[in-house]
Amino acid sequence: MIMTPTKKLEKQEINALPLKTYDGKICVINTLQDVKPSCDLLQKENILGFDTETRPAFHKGEHYSPSIIQLAGKKSVFIFQLHQVGFCNPIKQLLSNRNILKCGVAINHDLSELNMLNKFIPRCFVDLGDLARKAFIPHHGLRGLAAYFLRFRISKQAQTSNWNIKTLSKKQIIYAATDAWVGRELYLKFKKEKII
């Protein structure tokens, strides 16, 4: 569906919206024995919100691989700590499953970084930012889209924290879960508004 261009929300308009975080069940997976049962549960989903977080690089030439993958289902969000469990087969099979839709924003970079960790074929991924561009929506990032469609704002404070630490802080866990959950919520909203 082609929409007519609409006005972009100003920064102060976004900041005036209520702050919202994911408040459902969050499972942090940091042992190999928990990977397969978690992925088996996620294989039963139809739509997953998808995101990754990477330790930020502050110096030229510095590069880090994704530290975590977040996958949001209908009732819970799973956070896989890759530096502890690796980008292993059950996760790869899930991301290659053509029967489960995975949605997020700016996912091509995430997928290419994951492919550098361990080769896999990403299937059934939807980039909400690309859909927004095609529909002439003035926002393409997760924060802007959440404000525009869901009428709340999400915090970006934990974005540049160290995602490689062994025990993630509560703030990091909520931030990571919220990003994946918002991806799923936005996809459902896009479908309702016939943008997809």
Side-chain angles (χ1 to χ4, degrees):
M1 177 182 164
I2 302 294
M3 293 176 71
T4 52
T6 47
K7 190 177 150 287
K8 188 172 183 171
L9 294 174
E10 298 294 332
K11 196 174 179 180
Q12 60 266 30
E13 289 177 278
I14 295 175
N15 289 338
L17 291 169
L19 187 66
K20 196 159 182 179
T21 58
Y22 178 70
D23 60 2
K25 187 181 174 192
I26 304 169
C27 305
V28 179
I29 311 303
N30 52 23
T31 61
L32 264 175
Q33 69 205 40
D34 290 333
V35 173
K36 192 175 182 315
S38 302
C39 288
D40 287 348
L41 282 172
L42 287 165
Q43 290 279 12
K44 295 173 183 168
E45 298 277 350
N46 297 317
I47 303 160
L48 291 173
F50 165 84
D51 195 21
T52 70
E53 299 299 338
T54 302
R55 180 182 172 180
F58 297 109
H59 305 289
K60 197 178 174 186
E62 207 178 7
H63 177 267
Y64 296 103
S65 300
S67 306
I68 64 169
I69 291 178
Q70 308 102 274
L71 293 164
K74 196 173 185 175
K75 291 182 179 167
S76 48
V77 176
F78 288 79
I79 297 171
F80 295 89
Q81 290 188 269
L82 296 180
H83 57 95
Q84 301 205 66
V85 301
F87 185 39
C88 51
N89 280 336
I91 304 172
K92 285 172 31 177
Q93 285 162 4
L94 185 61
L95 299 186
S96 296
N97 187 333
R98 63 179 82 242
N99 298 315
I100 304 170
L101 193 135
K102 280 80 66 179
C103 42
V105 170
I107 55 179
N108 284 342
H109 177 71
D110 293 342
L111 296 176
S112 68
E113 289 289 310
L114 288 171
N115 238 313
M116 283 163 72
L117 276 178
N118 201 340
K119 290 271 179 240
F120 78 111
I121 300 164
R123 290 191 181 99
C124 214
F125 277 84
V126 174
D127 193 313
L128 301 163
D130 289 348
L131 288 178
R133 276 183 199 91
K134 286 175 190 160
F136 303 104
I137 292 157
H139 294 276
H140 311 130
L142 195 69
R143 190 170 191 264
L145 288 170
Y148 191 85
F149 282 104
L150 306 174
R151 306 308 299 162
F152 61 74
R153 86 190 143 90
I154 54 173
S155 170
K156 284 292 174 191
Q157 276 188 325
Q159 189 173 26
T160 56
S161 59
N162 183 1
W163 295 99
N164 265 0
I165 55 173
K166 191 173 182 187
T167 306
L168 296 171
S169 68
K170 188 180 178 186
K171 192 176 175 181
Q172 284 178 308
I173 291 166
I174 290 168
Y175 170 91
T178 299
D179 273 11
W181 166 71
V182 167
R184 191 178 187 278
E185 290 297 304
L186 280 169
Y187 176 81
L188 296 171
K189 183 72 173 171
F190 276 29
K191 218 171 167 188
K192 195 178 170 185
E193 301 282 333
K194 297 187 168 55
I195 292 162
I196 298 167

